[in-house]
């Protein structure tokens, strides 16, 4: 079978809406190597339990800015006073190998990715209410009260960009939201343009008399 290039997905949400948990759950269901999440580079300090190279590549501000100057990022942005960026080569190489890639990035980065890669599929995750968003940030228990207050204050700004995205998931019931995310991904894999490449030989055999 010929190799089909992978699909690129951007998933954005206000902090605490559940995007990391949703992506993680989807990857656990599809642990066949057909999809992966891009590990961003950040200047933020690691949270308890976060591992360098797994959750993020944690670097100093000087190192981050060196990578910016070297054009090593596909996109980058300053979010909550820290820098975050997506490695260019990892995205390009992974998509070329036929693997679907998820970018867990903010709306500023999404604009850059849309400009560089018009075929990207953009998904926005919303919480069911502001009260529930704050509850989830607290339940996660990984940020100080000050950081949580700052993220709640920024949530309105982040959510105001939801209309720039193609798909919208309101993450109320977790399992239903994972299923909805899965449907979005599967529908892209089933596009005729992709299936024509994947099933080139089957189609040739089926249509041999034409
Ligand atoms: P989270 O919101 O709880 O997941 O907290 P993080 O500190 O992990 O991320 C903070 C924000 O930075 C979120 O809006 C992420 O989507 C965004 N972010 C993470 N990685 C990147 C990246 O590589 N590029 C851009 N532009 N934004 C990123
Ligand atoms: P984000 O990556 O968007 O910042 P997380 O994935 O870290 O958000 O989720 C924030 C918290 O909310 C986590 O503790 C997670 O377990 C919880 N959570 C996620 N989705 C739901 C849901 N549908 N119902 C209840 N809690 C949820
Ligand atoms: P974490 O909080 O470390 O991101 O999530 C750990 C795991 O719990 C994730 O892989 C995800 O599958 C699952 N999870 C997170 N939140 C919920 C939830 O609200 N409901 C259910 N059913 N599973 C969850």
């Amino acid at each position: 079978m010929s190799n089909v290039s992978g699909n690129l997905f951007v998933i954005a949400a206000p902090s605490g809406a559940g995007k990391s948990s949703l992506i993680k759950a989807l990857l656990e269901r599809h642990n066949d190597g057909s999809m992966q999440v891009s590990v961003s580079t950040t200047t933020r300090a690691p949270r308890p339990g976060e591992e360098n190279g797994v959750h993020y590549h944690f670097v100093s501000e000087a190192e981050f800015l060196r990578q910016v100057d070297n054009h090593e990022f596909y996109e980058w942005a300053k979010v909550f006073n820290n820098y975050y960026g997506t490695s260019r080569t990892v995205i390009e190489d992974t998509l070329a190998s036929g693997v679907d890639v998820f970018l867990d990035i903010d709306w500023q980065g999404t604009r850059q990715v849309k400009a560089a890669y018009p075929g990207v599929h953009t998904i926005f995750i919303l919480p069911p209410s502001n009260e529930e968003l704050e509850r989830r940030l607290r339940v996660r228990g990984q940020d100080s009260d000050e950081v949580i207050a700052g993220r709640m204050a920024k949530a309105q700004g982040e959510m105001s960009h939801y209309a720039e995205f193609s798909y919208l998931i309101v993450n109320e019931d977790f399992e239903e939201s994972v299923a909805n995310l899965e449907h979005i991904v599967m529908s892209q894999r089933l596009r005729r343009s992709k299936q024509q490449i994947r099933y080139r030989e089957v189609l040739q055999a089926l249509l041999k008399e034409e």
Side-chain angles (χ1 to χ4, degrees):
M1 255 186 266
S2 318
N3 202 17
V4 188
S5 76
N7 298 296
L8 183 61
F9 298 94
V10 161
I11 305 199
S15 183
K19 63 187 179 310
S20 312
S21 306
L22 292 170
I23 296 172
K24 188 169 168 234
L26 185 68
L27 290 177
E28 280 166 4
R29 283 190 195 182
H30 293 266
N31 60 357
D32 56 359
S34 66
M35 52 176 82
Q36 73 183 45
V37 62
S38 158
V39 179
S40 296
T41 300
T42 185
T43 58
R44 161 165 86 62
R47 291 178 182 143
E50 281 185 337
E51 266 180 73
N52 193 23
V54 177
H55 299 89
Y56 282 103
H57 301 288
F58 296 100
V59 298
S60 66
E61 193 163 311
E63 170 60 16
F64 190 97
L65 295 173
R66 189 196 63 75
Q67 293 186 22
V68 169
D69 285 346
N70 264 355
H71 306 284
E72 289 175 31
F73 291 121
Y74 201 77
E75 62 74 33
W76 63 274
K78 196 167 192 181
V79 191
F80 307 128
N81 297 320
N82 291 302
Y83 289 105
Y84 293 85
T86 305
S87 155
R88 177 182 301 284
T89 47
V90 174
I91 301 298
E92 290 172 351
D93 295 352
T94 310
L95 289 174
S97 72
V99 173
D100 290 342
V101 177
F102 293 101
L103 305 184
D104 170 349
I105 64 176
D106 83 314
W107 66 270
Q108 305 171 81
T110 305
R111 284 190 177 172
Q112 296 171 49
V113 175
K114 277 166 88 171
Y117 196 100
V120 62
H121 308 290
T122 56
I123 306 166
F124 202 86
I125 314 285
L126 283 173
S129 67
N130 287 322
E131 293 71 28
E132 174 63 9
L133 182 65
E134 183 158 2
R135 193 194 68 79
R136 287 182 192 172
L137 283 173
R138 292 191 186 288
V139 164
R140 189 167 66 184
Q142 288 184 331
D143 297 301
S144 65
D145 284 353
E146 192 190 337
V147 169
I148 289 175
R151 287 180 180 229
M152 280 306 292
K154 295 239 169 71
Q156 294 293 319
E158 184 76 27
M159 290 192 286
S160 71
H161 293 278
Y162 84 90
E164 295 170 28
F165 291 73
S166 301
Y167 296 91
L168 189 59
I169 293 177
V170 177
N171 178 22
E172 182 153 25
D173 179 86
F174 187 79
E175 293 306 322
E176 190 182 324
S177 298
V178 178
N180 285 335
L181 186 57
E182 189 171 30
H183 292 318
I184 294 168
V185 174
M186 292 307 133
S187 70
Q188 301 312 327
R189 289 190 183 178
L190 290 167
R191 275 183 182 278
R192 174 176 48 74
S193 55
K194 299 274 181 190
Q195 292 287 67
Q196 268 177 320
I197 300 170
R198 195 175 283 123
Y199 289 106
R200 195 167 57 91
E201 286 167 16
V202 172
L203 284 163
Q204 274 170 356
L206 285 168
L207 301 173
K208 61 178 179 275
E209 277 156 31
E210 278 186 28

